[in-house]
Amino acid sequence: MSVVLAPAAVQDIAELRQLYFEVYGHGYPVPLGSDPAVMRRLITDGTAHWLTARTPRGDLVGSAVVQTDPGSRIGKLVGLAVHPGHRGGGLASRLTGAVCAEAFATGRLDSVYATVRVVTEGPQHVVVRNGFRPLGLMPNAVEVEGCESLALFARYADGVLDRRAPVERVPERLSALLSAASAGIGIDCSATGIVPDRAAARSASGADPIELIDAPAFVRRRFLERFPDAGDRFFPLHTPNALLVAADGGFEAYADLDPVAGSCALVAVHPRPAAVAGALEALMTTVTRAGADYAETLLPLADTEALEVFLASGFVPSAVYPAMRRIDDRFHDYVVLSRTSRQIDFRTTAVSPLLQPYLGAYLSAWTATYLPLHEVSR
């Protein structure tokens, strides 16, 4: 059956909420599909490209959105939904291609990323057919129908990957991830040297507790006070709503905490990311008690000091985002580090061949973190 694609309008909100309910039930953890105020803002404030699909009779059967972060020149593909009665005809792929083409046509985006569920291979094929490349795998990243893993993909504007800034060296635990990216994305990482992993001790479980301030408006104001320069606030499409403070005042960690999705993004640390050294175990205990079994952070691939601090505290390299950030005429690589307090179970994960190298890289890094060979051999 033919469908007509058109921009979403405010009067579509009720039907869109019904569509997301029919596709995901009560388990959809994104306000875009359930919160009318959020949906209205995205439709009207110019920060999103939102397309709907209707049958000739006017029935709403599909939706796709690219949210944008103008300051970072990055977008995110979200809210892709096709009514169960209209699957199998390529509508998901058509919506994805159309909404991404519209977003890139503005000339204001360098890349668009997507976090894709891996309960089946179908969503992975949809984004790949539309020019997305695999960047990594994030186990236990979200609570949808139980605890699920996500795959990270990105699509780039022409010429972006050709203008990557070189990275001199990275910690050894990232080597398998970079190898997977070289094959899966087609980038050259051969000039990047490897720094042997330091034998750093994990944070002591008896460290002073971390105070959690759950006051979103206050946190946002203080975040802007601590990071007045927009260039120091790089975590696209994440706004902190919680503050994790060291008892001695040594650092302030700003987090996007989402108990519904069971996840936490560590958006920024003041005065610098490495300031959390020795306290990440206590910080993770606080995050877990607040309802997030999964935590992630985004760091420059070139920031060896910060990477080593998080790697020494149980964070595992999960994905690499080449050419993520534009500074002047060069693009800089970033890496996603994650940690989960739940047991990881890949038995129900449908990992496509394109993602297999990333699964291998994650397992290699996880083993090096939690199952050191010298301990196994004792």
Side-chain angles (χ1 to χ4, degrees):
M1 178 183 293
S2 63
V3 297
V4 177
L5 305 188
V10 171
Q11 55 265 34
D12 297 328
I13 290 176
E15 289 180 277
L16 284 165
R17 292 182 69 198
Q18 182 62 31
L19 172 67
Y20 284 105
F21 175 78
E22 291 176 350
V23 172
Y24 295 103
H26 291 290
Y28 194 56
V30 180
L32 174 147
S34 58
D35 188 327
V38 171
M39 298 169 79
R40 175 182 290 272
R41 176 177 57 79
L42 288 173
I43 290 172
T44 60
D45 72 359
T47 62
H49 302 268
W50 195 329
L51 291 182
T52 61
R54 291 184 179 274
T55 67
R57 297 193 326 179
D59 298 326
L60 183 68
V61 295
S63 171
V65 186
V66 170
Q67 286 183 261
T68 65
D69 185 350
S72 67
R73 296 181 59 85
I74 289 176
K76 181 181 182 182
L77 175 68
V78 292
L80 178 61
V82 174
H83 190 279
H86 293 266
R87 293 174 182 166
L91 180 55
S93 184
R94 183 182 167 192
L95 274 165
T96 299
V99 76
C100 288
E102 180 182 295
F104 278 114
T106 65
R108 295 193 291 268
L109 293 180
D110 295 316
S111 64
V112 171
Y113 74 92
T115 52
V116 179
R117 297 172 70 192
V118 290
V119 289
T120 66
E121 288 192 29
Q124 301 166 53
H125 296 312
V126 168
V127 293
V128 169
R129 282 197 296 268
N130 283 282
F132 284 76
R133 310 184 192 199
L135 305 182
L137 192 64
M138 298 174 291
N140 290 1
V142 68
E143 185 78 27
V144 184
E145 295 176 359
C147 190
E148 294 188 12
S149 300
L150 298 176
L152 181 65
F153 289 81
R155 173 174 164 175
Y156 294 89
D158 292 341
V160 168
L161 286 174
D162 298 328
R163 293 154 57 193
R164 292 171 54 241
V167 176
E168 291 186 5
R169 61 183 66 86
V170 298
E172 185 176 7
R173 213 165 294 174
L174 272 70
S175 59
L177 178 61
L178 290 191
S179 296
S182 295
I185 307 171
I187 59 174
D188 184 6
C189 298
S190 59
T192 301
I194 301 298
V195 178
D197 288 332
R198 295 191 306 174
R202 291 278 291 275
S203 311
S205 59
D208 290 336
I210 303 296
E211 296 177 351
L212 173 65
I213 300 173
D214 181 12
F218 166 78
V219 170
R220 287 193 292 270
R221 288 195 303 271
R222 188 165 179 88
F223 179 60
L224 294 176
E225 292 171 0
R226 288 299 199 186
F227 299 94
D229 185 346
D232 296 329
R233 305 194 298 264
F234 187 78
F235 204 131
L237 296 160
H238 285 77
T239 301
N241 59 9
L243 180 58
L244 297 147
V245 185
D248 63 359
F251 69 84
E252 294 179 0
Y254 291 83
D256 184 357
L257 183 63
D258 187 350
V260 175
S263 67
C264 175
L266 297 176
V267 175
V269 177
H270 183 273
R272 67 188 195 284
V276 295
L280 275 172
E281 201 72 34
L283 186 148
M284 284 300 303
T285 297
T286 302
V287 166
T288 302
R289 287 173 178 167
D293 300 305
Y294 168 88
E296 68 181 24
T297 193
L298 180 70
L299 295 172
L301 188 60
D303 190 347
T304 303
E305 179 190 21
L307 289 171
E308 288 180 335
V309 166
F310 278 84
L311 290 171
S313 298
F315 279 74
V316 178
S318 302
V320 61
Y321 198 136
M324 185 178 192
R325 184 178 186 182
R326 179 193 286 212
I327 302 178
D328 298 325
D329 64 342
R330 297 292 242 171
F331 290 88
H332 297 259
D333 301 347
Y334 275 69
V335 63
V336 178
L337 303 178
S338 69
R339 177 171 160 172
T340 175
S341 59
R342 292 194 190 187
Q343 179 178 341
I344 302 171
D345 187 351
F346 287 116
R347 287 176 296 179
T348 59
T349 302
V351 178
S352 67
L354 282 173
L355 285 174
Q356 285 290 342
Y358 291 103
L359 175 58
Y362 184 88
L363 292 174
S364 173
W366 187 94
T367 300
T369 301
Y370 291 100
L371 198 63
L373 293 179
H374 70 273
E375 293 187 9
V376 174
S377 61
R378 280 188 216 175

